[in-house]
Amino acid sequence: MAVDCKGVLLLLLFTAALCDGSSSSKNTQDQPPHIILIVADDLGWNDVSFHGSDQIPTPNLDSLAYSGVILGNYYVSPICTPTRSAIMTGRHPIHTGLQHFVIVSAQPYGLALNETILPQYLKQLGYTTRMVGKWHLGMYAWDYTPTYRGFDSFFGYYTGAEGYVDHVNGIHASWHLGHHAWEFTPTFRGFDSYFGYLTGKDNYYDHTDDESNSPEELGYKGLDLRNGTEPVWTENGTYSTELFSTEAERIIASHDTSKPLFLYLPHQAVHSGNPDNPLQAPQKYIDKFPHIQHPGRRTFAAMVSALDDAVGNVTKALSARGMLENSVIIFTTDNGGPAAGFDQNYASNWPLRGVKNTLWEGGVHGTGFVHSPLIKQPKRTTHELLHVCDLLPTIYELAGGDSTELKNLDGTNVWETISRGVQSPRVEVLHNIDPKRKTAALRYGDYKIILGEAYKGAWDGWYPPEGVTTNHSEEANHVPRWSGPLKIKCAEKPANVSTNCKPRDNPCVFNIKEDPCEFNNIADWNKPLVNFLMGRLEAYSETAVPMRNQPTDPRGNPKYHGGVWSPWINLTDTSVSTNELFGQ
């Protein structure tokens, strides 16, 4: 029988191609995606051009957001440590004891060690886990630091704020920024508490202001930059946004792509630095914004622009390694922006009400998006209700785990909502219950209840961005878009907008869908709704655990640790009593 050699050869090539295609598909399917979680610090709603900012172009963020899914109805906690704890645990801060304020550097507490956190879950699923940037979840003992809690490597800082160039945390000094009116003093300008003096110098014994006093040792001050557990002294002069971007790029370039990568990249930007020089950016970025006349807002814009470039550089690094096609990039702020000089910063949440560390929408309505080729219906905005607690179960599911097996979570896997546009499983968001401040807020469906008062109401307003609002840069106009930017439209502003809600006296209720700027308090003529929402708050309150906050421990002063912020307590030292441990 004659054999058609040409036909056999074609059949063999076709069969090989099928096998090769099947194998390629299988490898892609079996390889969980690389997960890049980028956290901006104190980024406001109106600080990105994909939300319509006409001052600050963010072309790299825009490109990822417009080609992914913009999170239009996404909430975070009102301040740093609580949000970061929710990211790491999938649990609400009222259930981890981190519901009040932040961990100040020399305070001996942190995210409890009995909490399993995100890198630990992902290591169980075969991930390489890397962290670059800000921790702020406790560092008084080594056990609380990143490389002891599931990260294979860490490059960054432990505390909440520091200089962008010298990498020194010196936030515990005197105020010396004005006190001629109460509005200029610390507790009116973003600090939850203050114990100290308002002038530039103070006598060590009688605490009077005397110009002959020495300014030395006014407060705690030390280096806070580490590679693993080792202090890094060689980067003084390197801008942190660029430093962290370079390290992230190095990690990507050297990663073994046969294993999935989890890269947690919580940037310092755009949080205030030290009080003596709170906003810092390279001059090349400041020069991009001559149209912003306000110097604080201009420097802030430069800081955002540097952050935007850093995100762009990380994206390029993923693409260069062939990792981008199997990556999920999640971008989120940790809280609303510190606007109008709050915490010496000039972010913008306009047109939303309030600022960072308040429960108004400006404090908790988060900026975020998800970008991935794995998204089935990209290039859209989701208006489904989402919360920062949802990140952990969603990431765990993406990584190949079964999120329903995780215990005691407050978050839910929302990947189908993000990827396919299905309805969110979430119907409510608890913003917070702070037993010390006596403040609380919750959203159920379209309705939000808020009670209690932060900063004696000093930051309850609406704060437009400083400076000229016309953007003279063309950068943002070159980003491919499927629609215009996500802009919030306020309801009609009533004449009594500043007086119709006094949450210190009575709960206020707003229809956030119809009134996102919180102009119209509808509590007075919706008593059954008020009672229902109060009942939901009471139900949550019954599940809350005590606050973990502890007073400052002088032993944490960097002067006792070679001028470096370092863990100062050995948890295995049984010779130290509990009372001694916490200074009681």
Side-chain angles (χ1 to χ4, degrees):
M1 181 177 66
V3 177
D4 183 351
C5 296
K6 183 177 181 181
V8 171
L9 179 61
L10 288 172
L11 178 62
L12 289 171
L13 289 172
F14 180 69
T15 303
L18 280 177
C19 292
D20 183 64
S22 173
S23 174
S24 175
S25 174
K26 186 174 186 297
N27 286 341
T28 300
Q29 187 175 8
D30 288 349
Q31 170 86 15
H34 307 292
I35 297 168
I36 316 300
L37 176 52
I38 303 173
V39 180
D41 200 336
D42 286 4
L43 188 69
W45 179 267
N46 190 41
D47 293 330
V48 291
S49 47
F50 68 84
H51 281 174
S53 172
D54 55 4
Q55 285 187 320
I56 309 174
T58 50
N60 293 295
L61 292 172
D62 289 12
S63 179
L64 293 172
Y66 284 127
S67 59
V69 176
I70 297 173
L71 309 182
N73 203 10
Y74 163 68
Y75 286 92
V76 291
S77 289
I79 199 168
C80 176
T81 294
T83 289
R84 291 162 201 270
S85 72
I87 290 172
M88 286 291 113
T89 65
R91 305 186 67 208
H92 198 283
I94 70 163
H95 295 144
T96 59
L98 298 174
Q99 63 269 59
H100 174 71
F101 202 49
V102 297
I103 301 171
V104 179
S105 310
Q107 292 177 340
Y109 76 103
L111 177 61
L113 297 179
N114 61 358
E115 300 284 354
T116 303
I117 68 171
L118 184 54
Q120 293 169 325
Y121 284 125
L122 293 181
K123 283 186 71 66
Q124 295 170 7
L125 298 175
Y127 272 73
T128 298
T129 57
R130 309 290 189 191
M131 178 178 172
V132 179
K134 173 177 172 177
W135 178 236
H136 208 191
L137 287 171
M139 47 77 69
Y140 77 97
W142 285 114
D143 310 65
Y144 285 84
T145 59
T147 53
Y148 285 72
R149 305 203 68 170
F151 284 102
D152 292 321
S153 66
F154 169 71
F155 184 90
Y157 61 108
Y158 290 153
T159 61
E162 61 179 14
Y164 279 78
V165 178
D166 63 8
H167 315 296
V168 166
N169 176 326
I171 62 172
H172 299 272
S174 64
W175 177 239
H176 203 200
L177 290 169
H179 66 285
H180 62 283
W182 284 116
E183 287 76 14
F184 286 83
T185 59
T187 53
F188 280 78
R189 304 207 66 176
F191 288 96
D192 197 60
S193 64
Y194 176 71
F195 183 85
Y197 53 99
L198 301 175
T199 57
K201 300 182 179 72
D202 201 44
N203 185 278
Y204 283 88
Y205 296 99
D206 64 13
H207 312 296
T208 59
D209 180 8
D210 182 340
E211 286 299 312
S212 65
N213 294 333
S214 169
E216 296 177 356
E217 295 190 20
L218 294 177
Y220 298 177
K221 182 177 182 180
L223 177 77
D224 190 11
L225 183 65
R226 290 181 184 267
N227 187 355
T229 59
E230 294 300 313
V232 176
W233 295 94
T234 56
E235 297 297 344
N236 188 344
T238 306
Y239 189 61
S240 68
T241 306
E242 297 174 335
L243 179 64
F244 295 152
S245 173
T246 299
E247 176 63 14
E249 293 168 57
R250 186 198 65 77
I251 287 171
I252 293 166
S254 62
H255 178 67
D256 177 0
T257 56
S258 67
K259 292 188 66 176
L261 170 68
F262 172 55
L263 174 58
Y264 179 46
L265 181 54
H267 269 283
Q268 178 177 358
V270 284
H271 195 287
S272 303
N274 292 312
D276 59 345
N277 192 6
L279 302 181
Q280 297 175 283
Q283 191 62 42
K284 65 182 180 181
Y285 287 107
I286 295 174
D287 290 344
K288 293 171 65 175
F289 298 95
H291 58 283
I292 301 179
Q293 297 176 353
H294 187 280
R297 181 67 176 168
R298 185 188 311 123
T299 303
F300 179 88
M303 294 162 71
V304 174
S305 186
L307 173 65
D308 182 73
D309 278 354
V311 173
N313 290 338
V314 168
T315 306
K316 291 174 186 175
L318 290 168
S319 180
R321 287 301 313 280
M323 296 167 64
L324 187 59
E325 288 303 307
N326 191 34
S327 289
V328 178
I329 300 174
I330 301 170
F331 179 87
T332 177
T333 186
D334 61 343
N335 43 251
F342 183 97
D343 197 20
Q344 299 178 264
N345 210 315
Y346 291 93
S348 175
N349 305 306
W350 184 259
L352 298 175
R353 186 174 190 175
V355 299
K356 167 186 175 176
N357 205 20
T358 71
L359 293 173
W360 301 108
E361 290 293 288
V364 296
H365 197 149
T367 297
F369 64 77
V370 180
H371 171 90
S372 176
L374 305 178
I375 293 173
K376 301 302 182 183
Q377 295 182 22
K379 300 182 180 180
R380 62 185 173 85
T381 293
T382 177
H383 294 284
E384 294 293 322
L385 191 60
L386 305 172
H387 187 253
V388 66
C389 282
D390 300 328
L391 293 183
L392 183 141
T394 302
I395 290 171
Y396 188 76
E397 195 83 24
L398 279 168
D402 181 352
S403 63
T404 64
E405 296 178 352
L406 302 180
K407 305 300 182 185
N408 302 317
L409 295 192
D410 295 306
T412 305
N413 170 28
V414 293
W415 179 247
E416 289 300 297
T417 300
I418 294 168
S419 177
R420 299 181 185 272
V422 305
Q423 184 176 359
S424 172
R426 179 176 289 282
V427 296
E428 69 180 358
V429 166
L430 174 66
H431 294 311
N432 199 28
I433 299 172
D434 187 328
K436 185 171 183 179
R437 271 188 167 183
K438 299 187 178 356
T439 56
L442 170 141
R443 177 169 171 180
Y444 190 98
D446 295 337
Y447 296 99
K448 174 180 176 180
I449 187 169
I450 182 168
L451 60 152
E453 190 176 67
Y455 305 109
K456 299 182 179 180
W459 293 99
D460 287 0
W462 298 263
Y463 308 99
E466 295 80 6
V468 177
T469 58
T470 301
N471 173 27
H472 296 294
S473 170
E474 294 297 319
E475 286 183 84
N477 297 327
H478 296 298
V479 176
R481 297 177 177 178
W482 40 265
S483 70
L486 174 61
K487 291 188 176 183
I488 289 177
K489 296 180 180 179
C490 296
E492 185 176 350
K493 193 171 186 178
N496 67 342
V497 66
S498 298
T499 59
N500 67 32
C501 170
K502 296 293 182 183
R504 178 184 59 185
D505 302 325
N506 295 292
C508 301
V509 173
F510 300 91
N511 183 329
I512 296 300
K513 183 176 181 180
E514 302 296 330
D515 182 23
C517 302
E518 297 171 298
F519 286 161
N520 299 283
N521 175 22
I522 62 173
D524 286 348
W525 56 91
N526 287 280
K527 293 302 181 185
L529 176 60
V530 173
N531 292 336
F532 171 76
L533 295 174
M534 286 294 293
R536 295 301 304 142
L537 280 173
E538 290 167 6
Y540 275 112
S541 183
E542 290 175 1
T543 70
V545 301
M547 299 184 306
R548 293 180 61 80
N549 303 65
Q550 295 293 335
T552 295
D553 184 345
R555 293 174 296 175
N557 192 329
K559 71 179 182 180
Y560 301 124
H561 309 284
V564 182
W565 285 100
S566 300
W568 67 94
I569 290 176
N570 182 353
L571 295 182
T572 62
D573 185 357
T574 57
S575 66
V576 180
S577 70
T578 302
N579 286 344
E580 290 175 320
L581 191 65
F582 294 111
Q584 297 172 344

